Amino acid sequence: MSIKTEQMVLNIGPQHPSTHGVFRIEVVIEGEYIRKAKPVIGYLHRGTEKLAEDLIYTQFIPYTDRLDYMNAMTNNYVYCAAVEKLMEIEAPERAEYLRVITMELNRIASHLVWWGTYLLDIGALSPFLYAFRDRDTILDRLNEISGARMTFNYMRIGGVKWDAPEGWIDKVKETVKLLRENFAEYHQLVTGNEIFIGRTKGVGIITKEDAINWGLSGPILRGSGVKFDLRKNQPYSIYDRFDFDIPTREEGDCFARYEVRLDEMFESLKIIEQACDQITEGEIVHKKGQRIMMIKPPAGETYFRCEASKGEIGVYLVSNGKNKPYRLKLRRPSFVNVEILADMLIDRNIADLVAIFGSLDVVLGEVDA
Amino acid sequence: MSQLLLDTVLKKFEDISGPEVVEESKINFNEPFLTLASEKWNLELARLLVEDEKLRFDFLCCLTGIDYEEHMEVVYNFYSMELDQYLCIKVKMPRSNPKIISVQPVWKTADWHEREAYDLLGIEFIGHPNLTRIFLEDDWVGHPLRKDYKFDKEEMGL
């Protein structure tokens, strides 16, 4: 007589230490293998797009902070830049430099949170402490310029809110040096670890074709061998002035995504260094952006996208000529990137669930909008 | 360049669905922009966008539902990884009965985008494998992103 394994339904979440937010997934398991998975989202839905329709353009900026709260600078930017595109104005040069420096610092901070928590999820505690030590240095710099550590509300339509305090640029340069030394440690600490490799190599493979068809972007897409980064492929702001590479890997597994993110942190350091050398004195906000009640983009619509730490963040903005957006759609990278999860889990061991989900670097505030 | 692409798409659409397939075509912020009525928009055109060697729109960046009070719209923003080009297609439908084909069979990424538009705007995507609410509870009444959506503050405890 053969022993049959019965299928059972296992519910994980909405609160679970490894989800860093409120995410639920129902999995059907047969022994240790997942046969079906159904992600359930919406626990953090705040109706951000609806709220936008009732706010004047500038008032909406703090709401963008609360989408991907690990990478709020880029969210600030993509919204402001979309409005600027409709208004056909450009931010002053100094403002663009400050935007680039803060966005890249924030990208590193975001990758650090991912790095620390991902390893925490799969069983390594100490990397988390290293990551948060370095992230805190970055948050100090961002706090000095914006007055906040995570929800910055720093950018404005047509520029930025505050100029850099005295000596800030030099401090950033020192931070870059410090981080570069510290990041070298990361490879010694984790990258070659046998257990880590065992849990991530060959796990959660996404092919190039799947990655594109599922609309994946950011480090996930690049980890699957697609050399695509909006900063290079469709340069916005002043990214065409900097010399940096787009790290890619061919394997498409969790380890490839890990390597891409670590490499990207070094590339961001390069950009910050160059921006700090090139920045000059000048205005920090366009005169049309100063009178916030009068910000009324002409009737029209446009889609604007840029490269956030998690991938392509986009804004589809419709204006009817009044001082509030008629319709604002946010294309949030985490929302799109987590779509593929259910497919990736089929016939995988339940122990890989956390390794696979974590490798997608999803922030639930952004998934649920 | 954009104008050339716009003409190419127009011609190919007309070859398949006849001369009146596109309602309006223009260049919007340097991108080709087409408007179609929902009864003219079908999977054959969607597949053409991906498969044609001059188009190759393999990446669906964004799908937006919009309520214009007198009608409803779904806007697709496409990008071609291979040819580095953009296209925006807008599909209009009557507000009383907003129905449109699902493009999920062509671009898998459309799955959740369409569920979101269904949940918040009440647009029905025909042929979608699992058209259920994605953010709100299943028994939620109404679609919040519609312009005439009314909510009872008292009932919500405000």
Side-chain angles (χ1 to χ4, degrees):
Chain A
M1 202 183 99
S2 65
I3 300 169
K4 238 180 77 189
T5 310
E6 259 184 45
Q7 288 198 342
M8 74 178 247
V9 179
L10 182 68
N11 181 63
I12 302 168
Q15 260 106 5
H16 185 270
S18 80
T19 62
H20 318 293
V22 202
F23 178 81
R24 182 159 76 92
I25 185 160
E26 278 172 29
V27 288
V28 177
I29 48 175
E30 204 176 285
E32 288 197 342
Y33 290 90
I34 298 170
R35 298 296 179 218
K36 215 179 143 202
K38 186 182 145 204
V40 181
I41 60 167
Y43 294 95
L44 278 175
H45 182 61
R46 290 143 291 169
T48 309
E49 292 174 5
K50 181 74 178 175
L51 289 167
E53 293 175 7
D54 214 20
L55 296 166
I56 66 168
Y57 281 93
T58 305
Q59 279 179 320
F60 184 66
I61 299 168
Y63 289 80
T64 64
D65 288 328
R66 284 147 184 85
L67 293 166
D68 176 1
Y69 36 79
M70 294 302 165
N71 191 40
M73 282 295 181
T74 321
N75 303 350
N76 274 191
Y77 174 78
V78 73
Y79 170 70
C80 293
V83 182
E84 285 162 19
K85 189 177 169 190
L86 265 189
M87 292 171 77
E88 296 184 74
I89 61 168
E90 269 179 23
E93 189 142 305
R94 185 173 173 83
E96 290 292 1
Y97 275 104
L98 290 173
R99 283 173 168 189
V100 167
I101 295 170
T102 50
M103 280 196 286
E104 292 307 318
L105 281 172
N106 205 186
R107 184 187 313 278
I108 299 172
S110 166
H111 282 352
L112 285 174
V113 173
W114 173 80
W115 188 78
T117 54
Y118 184 58
L119 286 150
L120 194 63
D121 289 347
I122 59 178
L125 178 74
S126 46
F128 179 77
L129 303 171
Y130 283 75
F132 271 60
R133 173 197 65 187
D134 292 337
R135 174 174 177 258
D136 231 59
T137 318
I138 296 175
L139 294 190
D140 283 346
R141 295 295 88 77
L142 294 176
N143 190 10
E144 284 155 13
I145 197 166
S146 73
R149 292 167 60 82
M150 275 171 81
T151 46
F152 309 108
N153 187 17
Y154 176 59
M155 300 201 192
R156 289 292 177 275
I157 291 149
V160 293
K161 177 67 181 153
W162 314 103
D163 203 342
E166 222 183 300
W168 189 78
I169 298 287
D170 293 328
K171 265 181 159 176
V172 170
K173 283 185 189 168
E174 275 164 35
T175 307
V176 169
K177 271 189 210 139
L178 176 79
L179 293 176
R180 192 170 278 140
E181 282 166 26
N182 288 354
F183 291 169
E185 277 179 346
Y186 288 27
H187 283 300
Q188 294 166 1
L189 192 66
V190 176
T191 311
N193 184 299
E194 209 172 305
I195 301 168
F196 174 66
I197 289 175
R199 294 219 50 195
T200 53
K201 263 208 172 148
V203 175
I205 296 176
I206 305 174
T207 64
K208 211 177 199 173
E209 292 71 33
D210 271 352
I212 293 173
N213 197 247
W214 281 97
L216 306 183
S217 49
I220 306 178
L221 184 66
R222 294 191 281 275
S224 290
V226 183
K227 205 176 170 90
F228 184 79
D229 186 317
L230 287 163
R231 290 175 294 171
K232 269 269 200 268
N233 294 66
Q234 196 201 3
Y236 50 91
S237 186
I238 46 167
Y239 276 104
D240 50 356
R241 299 184 191 178
F242 308 115
D243 174 33
F244 64 101
D245 295 324
I246 310 173
T248 55
R249 291 290 183 282
E250 292 298 320
E251 297 83 2
D253 56 7
C254 295
F255 190 73
R257 295 191 272 280
Y258 166 91
E259 282 188 299
V260 166
R261 289 196 184 97
L262 272 193
D263 286 358
E264 272 185 25
M265 302 198 314
F266 286 96
E267 296 306 317
S268 291
L269 289 177
K270 274 198 218 163
I271 298 173
I272 298 166
E273 224 163 32
Q274 292 170 58
C276 284
D277 287 335
Q278 292 175 18
I279 192 168
T280 50
E281 294 296 318
E283 288 286 309
I284 55 157
V285 65
H286 191 281
K287 65 177 189 314
K288 273 195 177 166
Q290 285 167 0
R291 294 164 64 202
I292 58 167
M293 295 304 287
M294 296 306 288
I295 294 175
K296 290 175 186 169
E301 55 199 286
T302 188
Y303 180 65
F304 183 81
R305 59 183 194 158
C306 74
E307 189 76 28
S309 66
K310 304 188 173 53
E312 173 181 336
I313 185 161
V315 171
Y316 195 87
L317 183 62
V318 182
S319 165
N320 57 356
K322 299 213 172 99
N323 64 354
K324 292 171 184 168
Y326 185 75
R327 169 83 170 97
L328 178 86
K329 157 89 184 187
L330 297 153
R331 190 256 193 222
R332 293 114 35 217
S334 293
F335 174 76
V336 182
N337 290 347
V338 76
E339 255 182 280
I340 196 173
L341 180 66
D343 258 39
M344 288 172 83
L345 293 176
I346 291 174
D347 295 335
R348 297 299 316 188
N349 194 301
I350 185 97
D352 290 340
L353 189 150
V354 169
I356 293 175
F357 179 53
S359 78
L360 298 177
D361 190 12
V362 165
V363 164
L364 272 305
E366 188 176 58
V367 173
D368 290 342
Chain B
M1 159 88 188
S2 296
Q3 187 63 46
L4 193 71
L5 176 62
L6 182 66
D7 295 342
T8 314
V9 180
L10 259 178
K11 170 130 200 329
K12 290 187 189 280
F13 273 23
E14 283 169 2
D15 285 350
I16 290 184
S17 303
E20 275 159 24
V21 56
V22 174
E23 219 167 84
E24 194 200 342
S25 67
K26 62 174 180 186
I27 299 290
N28 184 38
F29 290 94
N30 293 326
E31 275 179 37
F33 192 102
L34 299 173
T35 310
L36 277 77
S38 57
E39 60 270 18
K40 303 270 184 188
W41 174 237
N42 54 43
L43 278 181
E44 200 182 343
L45 296 179
R47 289 217 171 86
L48 173 90
L49 289 175
V50 184
E51 285 159 14
D52 190 278
E53 57 181 24
K54 283 198 174 132
L55 307 178
R56 291 260 188 257
F57 288 106
D58 47 3
F59 195 81
L60 173 61
C61 307
C62 187
L63 187 158
T64 312
I66 307 174
D67 177 12
Y68 273 105
E69 283 160 283
E70 68 279 5
H71 67 275
M72 284 213 170
E73 278 176 5
V74 169
V75 184
Y76 303 88
N77 292 94
F78 296 111
Y79 177 69
S80 167
M81 287 278 175
E82 197 181 312
L83 304 172
D84 185 33
Q85 56 193 16
Y86 295 87
L87 177 70
C88 183
I89 289 185
K90 186 174 230 196
V91 181
K92 283 185 176 180
M93 64 203 103
R95 197 170 187 280
S96 54
N97 186 20
K99 279 188 181 157
I100 183 170
I101 56 141
S102 166
V103 294
Q104 188 270 349
V106 184
W107 298 276
K108 284 187 184 146
T109 183
D111 186 340
W112 282 20
H113 279 293
E114 290 179 351
R115 281 179 66 192
E116 189 182 352
Y118 166 75
D119 189 2
L120 303 178
L121 283 145
I123 297 168
E124 197 184 320
F125 292 86
I126 301 159
H128 191 286
N130 176 32
L131 198 63
T132 51
R133 286 194 185 266
I134 189 163
F135 294 138
L136 306 175
E137 294 105 88
D138 291 336
D139 58 354
W140 193 276
V141 181
H143 305 281
L145 274 181
R146 286 201 179 190
K147 292 285 176 187
D148 57 359
Y149 179 75
K150 295 264 189 311
F151 55 90
D152 191 343
K153 279 194 174 175
E154 235 166 82
E155 203 177 280
M156 296 168 102
L158 297 170

